[in-house]
Amino acid sequence: MGLEINILGPCEIAANGEPAVLAGERRVGVLTRLALSAGQPVSSEQLLAQVWGESTATTAGKQLHIVVSKLRGLLAPHQGDDIIATVSGGYQLNLPRERIDVHLFSLLARRARAAKAQGEIETADGLFQRALALWRGDALAGMTASWAEAESARLEEERLTTLEDHVDLRLAAGDHHAVVPVLTAHVEANPLRERPRAQLMLALYRASRPSEALAVYRETRRAMADELGVEPGTTLRQLQQAVLRRDPALDLDTPARRAMLGKPVIPTELPADIPSFTARATEIAWLRRTLTDTRPGLPAVAAVHGPGGVGTSALAVHVAHAVADRFADGVLYVDMGAATAGRRPLPPYEALGRLLRSLGLDGAAVPSTLDEAAARYRSLTSTRNLLVVLDNALDAGQVRPLVPAGPACAVIVTSRQIMASLDSTSHLELTRLDHADATALFVRFAGPGRVRGEPEAAQQIVRQCGGLPLALRISAARVAARPDRALSWLADQLTDPDRRLDALEHADLAIRHSIAVSLQHLLRGPAGHDASQAFLRLGSMETPIHTAAGTSALTGWPERRAEAALNHLLDARLLESAGPGRYRMHDLIRLYAREQAARHLSGPAHAAAIGPGWTPYF
């Protein structure tokens, strides 16, 4: 899958299907500018003039060099060291243009028009759909520089023209009933654009709604007179007269060929399965059974929850691949964004927009409000046989509008907290691997030869990973990246508590990131202040087991307040239950909490309060 850069919406980077965090206005600006000219040099002067703008800082050239260096560090592990090449007078992004959505959009649109010209209607329809589905919002969204706004306007004009070319194809194929809502939304969004108004008039006329077609003309004439002081163009005036006399030229020349375009879109959006998936036989059987057991009138909803790094996403994707052939209308996948450090969880409306486009709805036809988009989604899924994977969800409120309506549908939700308020849902808690399964996973990742050569060091690595698949994966990646070093090299690092979290980092994977996500979401909640204070104070304790009474003594709070804070940490998966009234903190989380405490608390009393704006370090 490789590296992908997407700018038809907010700038996003994906590496092998996983999002990579890109922060900083100038980094986004430089990468976007290079992506627009992928394969071609962009001069330093042009980058400075456009991205730095009016800045007269004498260090701007050095700042550009630093930004490019940071971008290389982010991208090179996924594409190679020459991803951003230094060329004479500037820089060049060396990434295949089809890996950048703006260029892929142009390519697909050109191919669609060529297929249409050759009479390959079904092929053209599919290419148009793929091109328009790439749009996630306004191009270069969030960028306010004048060059970016001009580029965004140019790309928006390309999108609208492509949408209208697609509508022409659908009208020629007799798909007039289906394009009426698409065109209605398009006209509302672009009231002075004459071509879609003419298309809407024709679609309404062919749908036996001539009075509504004439009403569109009257509204067009009024709008143009009010806004521009002109009459509609020749095409619209001639079309109005043709509708009035019911001109046979408006009818289809041949019988409607809607069957050629009426084939439902069959999405197949799952990330790649993990070849090294190991263990979890009981959980796999439960999830397969839950997804395929039918209940009258209701879709099957399976919610898998567990702490960060325990493998909920891997399990969901693995099982989804195994059962995908049972869902005739395809598999939809959305990363809800609640498990990536520095990334905001995906709002339900944005997630619905992605799902609707995946189901074949043109971007302009996506309703403008959450309620309307959810209603359209329920309508489109009511008779379908779909599997929907909602990965890395934050809470039930984020997920609830995304559950399809069809009783033949099924949903997998993965999250850190239990979706207790999600109706008609079966729940599975994913826990840490036992030592035998953890060892098998490490052997699978690292290779049996190296493990056989140093069995004691391998066992030490497995023990220090605490049953977390993410930690095992990072450890195996580190030893794979250093084939000249013994396993004992890593085992020694992991055994040292002061070095363990540093050792559990490789490329874009880090245990710190995984824990920080839970803490960031905790801080956003109304009870986050108490829970975060308790988290830092517990991090300074050597024991992994805690009680409300002990936490009360540690914080000076009433026991009820301390218990509430512990329960919020339990919900955030920063603690786990150790029996009635007892809470356990995983060793890796405890090390992270200790780091945070050292960073944010000081003095013998560990500070009286933590400021509301403190940011977890990762």
Side-chain angles (χ1 to χ4, degrees), residues 401-567:
L402 313 180
V403 175
C409 294
V411 184
I412 308 175
V413 183
T414 72
S415 63
R416 298 199 174 183
Q417 63 174 275
I418 185 171
M419 298 283 174
S421 64
L422 201 60
D423 297 335
S424 304
T425 300
S426 300
H427 301 280
L428 172 66
E429 180 178 12
L430 205 61
T431 57
R432 291 178 280 162
L433 295 171
D434 62 28
H435 187 76
D437 285 340
T439 300
L441 181 60
F442 182 72
V443 171
R444 192 106 182 243
F445 276 134
R450 297 190 73 176
V451 173
R452 280 196 301 269
E454 294 182 83
E456 292 183 5
Q459 288 298 309
Q460 183 68 8
I461 291 171
V462 171
R463 281 193 294 272
Q464 298 302 332
C465 288
L468 283 181
L470 176 60
L472 293 161
R473 178 183 173 191
I474 293 171
S475 297
R478 290 203 65 198
V479 299
R482 296 287 186 272
D484 56 322
R485 297 192 179 182
L487 294 185
S488 57
W489 158 75
L490 179 59
D492 290 343
Q493 294 182 42
L494 291 173
T495 303
D496 183 350
D498 294 328
R499 302 174 67 194
R500 192 175 307 157
L501 293 181
D502 290 332
L504 290 174
E505 289 189 14
H506 181 76
D508 59 340
L509 300 176
I511 287 295
R512 281 192 184 94
H513 290 190
S514 178
I515 302 170
V517 171
S518 293
L519 193 53
Q520 286 172 342
H521 294 321
L522 178 74
L523 289 168
R524 294 190 182 103
H529 182 68
D530 273 8
S532 60
Q533 281 195 338
F535 179 75
L536 297 190
R537 284 166 169 76
L538 295 176
S540 65
M541 305 294 290
E542 291 300 322
T543 175
I545 303 296
H546 306 283
T547 64
T551 305
S552 172
L554 182 65
T555 59
W557 301 337
E559 192 167 323
R560 181 177 296 179
R561 180 179 174 186
E563 184 177 22
L566 291 170
N567 283 326

Side-chain angles (χ1 to χ4, degrees), residues 259-412:
M260 300 181 70
L261 299 183
K263 294 182 178 179
V265 177
I266 307 296
T268 53
E269 298 182 343
L270 284 176
D273 198 1
I274 298 175
S276 56
F277 195 91
T278 302
R280 305 291 195 196
T282 300
E283 292 87 348
I284 290 171
W286 178 91
L287 189 51
R288 293 187 66 150
R289 184 171 62 252
T290 302
L291 295 174
T292 54
D293 282 353
T294 58
R295 289 178 291 177
L298 292 172
V301 182
V304 183
H305 62 277
V310 81
T312 55
S313 296
L315 174 67
V317 170
H318 181 69
V319 173
H321 275 285
V323 301
D325 59 353
R326 299 189 180 210
F327 295 90
D329 293 322
V331 183
L332 299 169
Y333 174 89
V334 180
D335 183 349
M336 303 301 292
T340 303
R343 179 183 173 188
R344 68 181 179 115
L346 195 66
Y349 177 75
E350 289 187 26
L352 277 171
R354 295 186 185 186
L355 290 167
L356 289 170
R357 290 190 294 272
S358 294
L359 291 171
L361 203 64
D362 287 339
V366 174
S368 58
T369 69
L370 174 61
D371 287 346
E372 291 173 336
R376 182 69 59 84
Y377 177 65
R378 291 193 298 271
S379 177
L380 287 175
T381 59
S382 61
T383 59
R384 298 203 187 189
N385 176 216
L386 283 164
L387 175 61
V388 181
V389 180
L390 304 173
D391 200 9
N392 300 316
L394 177 64
D395 53 30
Q398 186 193 28
V399 166
R400 192 172 286 109
L402 313 180
V403 175
C409 294
V411 184
I412 308 175

Side-chain angles (χ1 to χ4, degrees), residues 198 201-202 234-244 250:
M201 288 179 65
L202 181 58
T234 302
T235 299
L236 278 171
R237 294 199 304 271
Q238 291 177 345
L239 183 56
Q240 183 229 15
Q241 293 300 312
V243 171
L244 286 170
L250 298 181

